[in-house]
């Protein structure tokens, strides 16, 4: 049997990997690296250069504030959205937050309120939530008893 590099490291491979194969593997790795680099470059080139916060569409609060910040002319859609937001804030109404993703207690509550089917992730979140509340209650009770 011919001597093969790395023989002691991995006896199973040693019998099948020849120096020629090793060379080929190294070439393949180099090729794969070049492929990945080319793909990364392509992805970078295809991304828009404008920062994300400047891509919000008109007719949103974000659009309204972007116009103000950049001193751009204000369109009606943005003015309406912005004024509504300001009015709501003045009235003490918190802006409606984004819908909570599944797997949170808020999402579970939403499912129930809307009569939707509760998925596993949300079911788990509810159980977790109740468990946490339970632990909190018990801890409070213990503190009250100790006081
Ligand atoms: Zn606008
Ligand atoms: Zn859900």
């Amino acid at each position: 049997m011919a001597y093969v590099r790395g023989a002691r490291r991995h006896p199973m491979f040693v019998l099948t990997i020849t120096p020629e194969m090793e060379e080929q593997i190294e070439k393949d790795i180099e090729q794969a690296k070049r492929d990945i680099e080319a793909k990364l470059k392509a992805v970078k080139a295809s991304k828009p250069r404008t920062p994300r916060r400047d891509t919000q569409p008109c007719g949103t609060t974000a659009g309204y504030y972007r116009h103000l910040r950049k001193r751009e002319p204000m369109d009606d859609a943005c003015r309406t959205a912005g004024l509504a937001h300001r009015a709501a804030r003045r009235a003490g109404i918190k802006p409606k937050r984004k819908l909570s993703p599944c797997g949170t207690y808020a999402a579970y509550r939403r499912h129930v309120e809307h009569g939707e089917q509760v998925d596993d992730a949300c079911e788990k979140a509810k159980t977790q939530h109740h468990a946490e509340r339970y632990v909190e209650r018990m801890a409070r009770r213990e503190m009250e008893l100790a006081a």
Side-chain angles (χ1 to χ4, degrees):
M1 195 179 75
Y3 169 74
V4 180
R5 270 198 288 158
R8 256 185 284 172
R9 266 183 296 156
H10 207 310
M12 291 298 284
F13 272 131
V14 185
L15 298 173
T16 50
I17 294 180
T18 63
E20 290 79 33
M21 285 168 79
E22 221 169 74
E23 215 174 280
Q24 185 57 47
I25 289 169
E26 261 162 41
K27 270 187 202 162
D28 286 347
I29 291 173
E30 282 304 309
Q31 183 60 47
K33 272 190 200 162
R34 275 196 294 272
D35 282 353
I36 291 168
E37 267 165 34
K39 267 179 202 156
L40 280 178
K41 254 186 208 165
V43 168
K44 267 185 199 164
S46 71
K47 269 191 187 161
R49 271 164 198 279
T50 41
R52 204 158 161 256
R53 66 169 184 275
D54 285 345
T55 59
Q56 268 113 351
C58 278
T60 62
T61 311
Y64 171 80
Y65 283 110
R66 177 184 47 142
H67 291 318
L68 281 188
R69 201 170 53 240
K70 303 186 100 184
R71 294 171 200 281
E72 290 167 356
M74 186 71 68
D75 50 283
D76 283 342
C78 285
R79 186 180 294 114
T80 307
L83 292 181
H85 176 73
R86 289 183 145 180
R89 263 232 297 239
R90 252 201 312 276
I93 301 166
K94 276 188 187 162
K96 219 177 173 189
R97 277 199 255 142
K98 267 192 207 158
L99 289 184
S100 309
C102 276
T104 60
Y105 183 64
Y108 166 80
R109 297 280 310 168
R110 193 176 68 235
H111 290 320
V112 171
E113 269 164 36
H114 295 187
E116 295 163 358
Q117 175 138 18
V118 177
D119 48 285
D120 285 350
C122 287
E123 185 66 44
K124 217 183 265 179
K126 178 203 69 174
T127 309
Q128 171 89 19
H129 178 86
H130 285 174
E132 279 168 13
R133 290 298 87 79
Y134 177 76
V135 170
E136 272 173 28
R137 260 204 316 277
M138 294 312 275
R140 245 202 315 272
R141 194 169 299 167
E142 259 174 48
M143 268 163 62
E144 277 164 15
L145 286 178

